[in-house]
Amino acid sequence: CAILQEEFMYDFGCSFRIVVVEKPLTGSLKSGGRQAPSDSSATMTTDWLANAPKTEDWMLSEVLHFSNTYVQAPGCEAQCARRIQRIVDESTRKLLHHYDTKAGKNDQQSIQQQVEHQVYTHLFQFLWGHIIRTLKDYDRKLHKHILDSSDPSTLARQLMVDDLLATVDCRASAAELKRLDSMISPHEKVECLVRARTFMENQLTEAVRAERARAERR
């Protein structure tokens, strides 16, 4: 029975773990169920935090205190990120101490990623509300320029993109970038950007090879 969705909540001094599973715990399933996503970062092989409730409670209380007391200001995003990273690092250290030598190198990376994911999940609205407000004017200007362009080639000229690059198929990269909004933690977003970049590099390589082949036939 796979976990389709997982959320963590902290309220009234207690932490709650909410899971949605693909099969009913009681009774029968009448409607078709979803398959669990194979790349879901919210579903971990080992739930390190749930098995260390004291550390989990400490982490959630720090996150709650941070979101209730920290005042965000434009231009101070890097400082905010450092504060959050300190919570992640200290929570990870506490978990490693809790599991002592039972956590191998791969497990240590899994622990840090799970902590980071949970911290940013709880801070999602707090962080992204500020970022959206800060970048609102820039985003509006960018959308206006895109909409004012009658076709992709016009937009490519305005952005001073080489003619060869303007013909490259960007659909794979665009599809990957669309997933960015569903990513929570920084490492997930970075991995998504790396995949999009790899797709684009592959398409560019193929375009350059095709252009060279055409030039040799002339």
Side-chain angles (χ1 to χ4, degrees), residues 13 28 37 39 56-57 78 93:
S28 59
D39 62 343
E56 183 180 28
D57 288 344
R93 188 192 67 77

Side-chain angles (χ1 to χ4, degrees), residues 45-108:
T45 304
T46 303
D47 196 340
W48 302 102
L49 282 166
N51 294 327
K54 288 186 178 179
T55 300
E56 183 180 28
D57 288 344
W58 180 88
M59 182 198 74
L60 293 174
S61 65
E62 287 293 307
V63 169
L64 184 64
H65 176 74
F66 174 80
S67 61
N68 287 337
T69 59
Y70 191 84
V71 178
Q72 296 192 86
C76 298
E77 289 77 16
Q79 182 181 357
C80 178
R82 286 193 292 270
R83 289 281 299 274
I84 296 172
Q85 189 60 45
R86 284 201 290 269
I87 298 175
V88 172
D89 291 343
E90 182 61 18
S91 300
T92 302
R93 188 192 67 77
K94 287 178 178 290
L95 278 176
L96 290 173
H97 178 73
H98 173 82
Y99 290 105
D100 197 16
T101 58
K102 290 181 282 187
K105 185 175 181 180
N106 291 336
D107 290 336
Q108 291 179 18

